[in-house]
């Protein structure tokens, strides 16, 4: 965060916690109607899932976080066993980009978010 | 310096210190994870004192109204008495059965007079404890601002030992032991213009009946749409009362729905399907879902996809106990 400085911080530019609250509903909706990935979300507790997605969005928005990758790994182990792969990860990032585009976020910022999301790929896919 | 009373300890909270830090500094175990107000693992409840609004960001309005807060975000400005969410404040009250009647073939209406203060919000549930120790939860159908007695709607379940006891053995004049009210499915004044969708099956109407009367009593102006579903016409109840309510309050609309049977007076099909087909855009609506767990689960997803935010969807699935 310090390298970009206070005024140009991605998280603040996106709107901070309020933006995460706004984005999480739209993002989760997109994921649930996307037939490429929605079967991974069958039967999960929606509130708990939304809380996890808020944590994920906070991280990829460059917000304050305690991301270590360990929880991300554990949360996806059983999904990887069921076939979760790069194409599904790409679909999630695509939905993330579309969510931000709907909210009027600039393409450069979307690219920055996608780059942060990219850092979680190996944890998500348990590699 | 504000203090935090938790279990048997009282801890001083230093300036700029969070409740989570203050309590863990004393070696107290509070579940936590992100420490940034995101994951909501450190959810606590203030039973005395008011937590700052910044510690309640992202919580359901009904949780906020009950004093819930996130310990990792809470830099208290006043002293608090706090507990973990599952440490229910166990309050036991004795209540006398004043009135009983059948609302339909298998739903019993009980009205109870509590001995001592019993605070609740319409739509919450209480527990009945039978003398042999068996405990079951029932939704409250009355409104404390309107009704002097607590009302419950109890459906007789096949092999339900508690409901059989309540139906067959408990009489007017008997005393029941009840617990304090809990649950997050209730009406909150403060947004009188928002539209409300309610879907209930069977005796899932009980909390909704309370929520609707509470909303109208508070002067709610937005549209209120109730879809009550049952397998057949015999399973519906309070039909004439609900029609009368709709006549007196133009903002309230009532749709009795049955899976089986035809008739001009009823909608044919599952209540949640009919409701969601008639309301395709639920953006900024409040949604209340009560009754059959499968209905609640699928309607929650449909309402969310129709635009309702998860924090505006209040669900009260009736989970059947496995033990008799």
């Amino acid at each position: 965060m310090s390298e970009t400085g206070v005024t140009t911080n991605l998280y603040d530019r996106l709107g901070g916690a309020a933006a995460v609250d706004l984005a999480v509903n739209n993002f989760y909706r997109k994921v649930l109607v996307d037939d490429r990935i929605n079967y991974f979300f069958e039967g999960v507790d929606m509130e708990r899932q939304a809380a996890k997605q808020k944590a994920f969005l906070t991280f990829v928005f460059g917000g304050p976080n305690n991301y270590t990758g360990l929880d991300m790994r554990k949360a996806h182990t059983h999904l990887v066993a069921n076939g979760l792969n790069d194409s599904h990860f790409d679909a999630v990032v695509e939905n993330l980009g579309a969510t931000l585009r709907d909210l009027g976020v600039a393409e450069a910022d979307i690219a920055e978010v996608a780059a942060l999301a990219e850092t979680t790929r190996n944890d998500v896919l348990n590699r | 310096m504000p203090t935090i009373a938790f279990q048997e300890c009282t801890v001083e909270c230093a300036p700029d210190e969070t409740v989570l830090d203050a309590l863990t500094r004393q070696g107290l175990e509070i579940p936590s994870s992100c420490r940034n107000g995101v994951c909501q693992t450190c959810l606590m409840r203030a039973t005395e004192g008011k937590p700052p609004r910044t510690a309640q960001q992202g919580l359901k309005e009904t949780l906020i109204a009950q004093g819930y807060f996130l310990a990792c975000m809470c830099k208290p400005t006043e002293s608090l008495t706090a507990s973990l969410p599952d440490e229910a404040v166990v309050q036991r009250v004795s209540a006398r059965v004043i009135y009983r009647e059948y609302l339909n073939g298998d739903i019993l209406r009980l009205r109870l007079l509590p001995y001592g203060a019993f605070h609740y919000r319409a739509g919450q549930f209480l527990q009945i404890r039978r003398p042999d120790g068996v405990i079951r939860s029932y939704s409250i159908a009355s409104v404390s601002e309107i009704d002097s007695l607590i009302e419950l709607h109890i459906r007789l379940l096949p092999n339900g030992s508690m409901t059989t006891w309540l139906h067959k053995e408990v009489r007017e004049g008997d005393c029941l032991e009840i617990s304090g009210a809990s649950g997050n499915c209730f009406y909150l004044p403060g947004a009188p213009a928002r539209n409300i969708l309610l879907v209930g099956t069977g005796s899932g109407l009980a909390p909704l009946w309370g929520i609707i009367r509470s909303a109208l009593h508070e002067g709610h102006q937005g549209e209120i749409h109730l879809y009550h579903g049952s397998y057949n016409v015999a399973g519906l109840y309070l039909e004439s009362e609900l029609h009368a309510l709709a006549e007196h309050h133009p903002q309230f609309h009532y749709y009795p729905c049955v899976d089986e049977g035809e008739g001009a007076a009823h909608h044919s099909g599952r209540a949640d399907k009919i409701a969601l087909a008639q309301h395709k855009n639920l953006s900024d609506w409040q949604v209340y879902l009560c009754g059959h767990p499968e209905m609640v689960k699928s309607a929650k997803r449909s309402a969310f996809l129709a635009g309702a935010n998860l924090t505006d969807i209040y669900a009260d699935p009736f989970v059947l106990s496995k033990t008799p």
Side-chain angles (χ1 to χ4, degrees), chain A residues 17-18 21 24-26 28-29 32-33 38 41-43 46-47 50-51 54-55 58 64-66 71, chain B residues 33-40 57-60 297 300-301 303-311 313:
Chain A
D21 274 338
V24 71
N25 281 290
N26 296 341
Y28 192 6
R29 264 184 215 112
L32 282 182
V33 296
N38 56 10
F41 295 88
E42 285 297 327
M46 290 181 71
E47 257 100 29
K54 270 178 78 172
T58 306
N65 66 85
N66 276 358
D71 291 341
Chain B
S33 179
C34 79
R35 306 179 83 94
N36 279 298
V38 175
C39 70
Q40 305 189 355
Q57 170 96 26
L59 295 183
K60 263 189 172 25
K297 205 171 130 191
K300 188 189 232 182
R301 182 186 161 107
F304 177 62
L305 290 177
N309 282 336
L310 274 182
T311 45
I313 303 177

Side-chain angles (χ1 to χ4, degrees), chain A residues 24-53:
Chain A
V24 71
N25 281 290
N26 296 341
F27 175 55
Y28 192 6
R29 264 184 215 112
K30 282 190 194 299
V31 166
L32 282 182
V33 296
D34 186 338
D35 289 335
R36 294 174 296 175
I37 48 177
N38 56 10
Y39 56 93
F40 288 112
F41 295 88
E42 285 297 327
V44 303
D45 179 291
M46 290 181 71
E47 257 100 29
R48 222 171 288 163
Q49 183 61 31
K52 284 180 187 164
Q53 294 193 358

Side-chain angles (χ1 to χ4, degrees), chain B residues 1-81:
Chain B
M1 199 178 291
T3 60
I4 312 300
F6 175 70
Q7 293 170 349
E8 281 86 46
C9 309
T10 300
V11 178
E12 286 203 341
C13 208
D16 225 38
E17 190 177 34
T18 66
V19 169
L20 180 60
D21 288 336
L23 293 177
T24 46
R25 174 165 55 77
Q26 292 299 310
L28 296 161
E29 280 196 29
I30 308 296
S32 73
S33 179
C34 79
R35 306 179 83 94
N36 279 298
V38 175
C39 70
Q40 305 189 355
T41 305
C42 64
L43 185 71
M44 295 186 78
R45 182 179 182 186
T47 49
E48 275 172 56
K50 198 170 158 40
R53 196 67 177 77
T54 46
Q56 298 176 312
Q57 170 96 26
L59 295 183
K60 263 189 172 25
E61 287 297 327
T62 52
L63 287 177
I64 293 171
Q66 297 176 86
Y68 283 89
F69 65 96
L70 300 172
C72 72
M73 300 301 286
C74 185
K75 294 176 181 170
T77 50
E78 59 181 272
S79 293
L80 303 174
T81 301

